[in-house]
Amino acid sequence: MRILIMGAGKMGSFFIDLLSFDHDVAVFEKDPKRLRFTYNCQRFQSLDEIKAFKPELLINAVTVKYTLPAFKEVLPYLPDDCIISDIASVKTGLKDFYEQSGYPYVSTHPMFGPTFANLNQLSEENAIIINEGDYMGRIFFKDLYNKLGLNIYEYSFKEHDETIAYSLSIPFVSTFVFSAVMKHQDAPGTTFKRHMQIAKGVLNEDVYLLQEILFNPYTYEQVSKIRGELDQLLDIIKDKDSKAFKAYLTKIRKNVLE
């Protein structure tokens, strides 16, 4: 299959390495410095090269801020039957775009990401395949993610956004709060160091990505739950209520340990 990958960042390069030995792969990347780290693929910097390549599948791996603009820029240079796809963690606006584009499409979300995951050992990581769009496109990614040993879940666009609001906004907001109140520790404990490592990873994420996750229409409700739990915990601490604290620990241990 002729596959065009847009973007030679961490995830784009990952997909190039993953696919280039079994398919005819090309990468379109405007930053020539990033192309230095690609191999076993054709390297494009002009849209006319894309037109001549005639891709059968397009994987849009640019940063989330540019996902839609990149699609709109390249569509006029694609064959009518090319399957267009994204791997974005934020799907805002994508369903409407796909349905209006006239192209077959597939949308997935490999949830391992390059920040924390070991890309050589993904058996404990997850991927979401949107159950809308082109059947053959979904089968392609399902086979690909199965080969990686990923745990695959199939959601609608709406279910995906609800899931991401829960699975990303809660840890991200918790990290923001930790970072906002922390101060330098000369002799930090193990738990503090682990939180610090997570905070550094999250805060190195793209600003637009963090913004889109927080501005997800389902995020406010999730963050409100954090505020409610903090209010309850503050009351327990203020009153030094041992009985209430024991009951609170029992509740949260069930969430995590059972």
Side-chain angles (χ1 to χ4, degrees):
M1 180 183 286
R2 292 186 305 279
I3 300 175
L4 174 68
I5 296 172
M6 296 185 69
K10 292 179 180 178
M11 289 303 292
S13 297
F14 171 75
F15 275 92
I16 293 169
D17 294 344
L18 182 63
L19 296 167
S20 60
F21 289 97
D22 296 315
H23 301 276
D24 186 3
V25 171
V27 57
F28 177 68
E29 171 58 65
K30 294 182 178 180
D31 183 354
K33 293 181 180 179
R34 286 187 169 184
L35 291 175
R36 293 180 301 174
F37 304 106
T38 59
Y39 68 98
N40 200 36
C41 66
Q42 299 184 59
R43 296 181 289 184
F44 298 159
Q45 286 192 277
S46 77
L47 294 169
D48 286 334
E49 290 175 296
I50 294 174
K51 187 174 183 179
F53 182 62
K54 297 180 180 179
E56 299 168 86
L57 172 66
L58 166 69
I59 300 176
N60 189 337
V62 304
T63 58
V64 66
K65 181 178 181 179
Y66 299 108
T67 300
L68 286 174
F71 269 138
K72 293 174 182 177
E73 180 181 26
V74 77
L75 284 190
Y77 299 86
L78 300 179
D80 292 340
D81 59 351
C82 178
I83 300 172
I84 60 176
S85 71
D86 74 276
I87 56 169
S89 53
V90 177
K91 304 295 185 185
T92 305
L94 279 170
K95 181 178 181 179
D96 289 341
F97 167 78
Y98 280 135
E99 291 178 348
Q100 295 170 13
S101 72
Y103 283 84
Y105 69 87
V106 57
S107 184
T108 77
H109 180 186
M111 297 183 71
F112 43 89
T115 302
F116 296 115
N118 178 358
L119 297 181
N120 296 313
Q121 181 60 45
L122 297 172
S123 60
E124 295 183 0
E125 305 295 342
N126 303 318
I128 293 174
I129 297 176
I130 302 300
N131 58 16
E132 304 171 54
D134 185 76
Y135 173 76
M136 294 307 298
R138 298 201 306 272
I139 292 299
F140 175 87
F141 279 98
K142 190 170 185 178
D143 289 344
L144 181 64
Y145 292 157
N146 271 325
K147 289 178 182 177
L148 292 173
L150 294 168
N151 302 298
I152 300 171
Y153 300 89
E154 297 189 43
Y155 296 147
S156 67
F157 279 104
K158 180 176 183 292
E159 290 168 335
H160 170 271
D161 288 348
E162 291 173 340
T163 299
I164 295 309
Y166 171 77
S167 64
L168 291 184
S169 65
I170 288 180
F172 279 17
V173 168
S174 300
T175 299
F176 294 162
V177 173
F178 167 80
S179 302
V181 302
M182 67 155 290
K183 56 184 178 180
H184 177 73
Q185 298 285 317
D186 290 326
T190 301
T191 301
F192 183 92
K193 287 190 289 186
R194 288 179 178 174
H195 277 281
M196 189 65 169
Q197 182 181 8
I198 293 172
K200 288 179 178 179
V202 170
L203 295 175
N204 277 324
E205 291 284 5
D206 179 74
V207 173
Y208 188 83
L209 171 63
L210 297 175
Q211 173 184 297
E212 288 302 293
I213 289 170
L214 289 186
F215 293 174
N216 179 322
Y218 303 99
T219 293
Y220 183 85
E221 180 182 353
Q222 298 297 334
V223 176
S224 294
K225 293 178 181 178
I226 296 177
R227 182 171 59 186
E229 292 297 324
L230 283 173
D231 288 342
Q232 183 179 352
L233 191 56
L234 278 172
D235 287 340
I236 292 172
I237 293 170
K238 181 182 66 175
D239 298 336
K240 296 182 173 58
D241 191 335
S242 299
K243 184 178 179 180
F245 181 60
K246 183 178 179 180
Y248 190 81
L249 278 179
T250 299
K251 180 186 76 171
I252 63 176
R253 281 172 171 160
K254 287 182 179 180
N255 289 344
V256 175
L257 303 177
E258 293 184 3

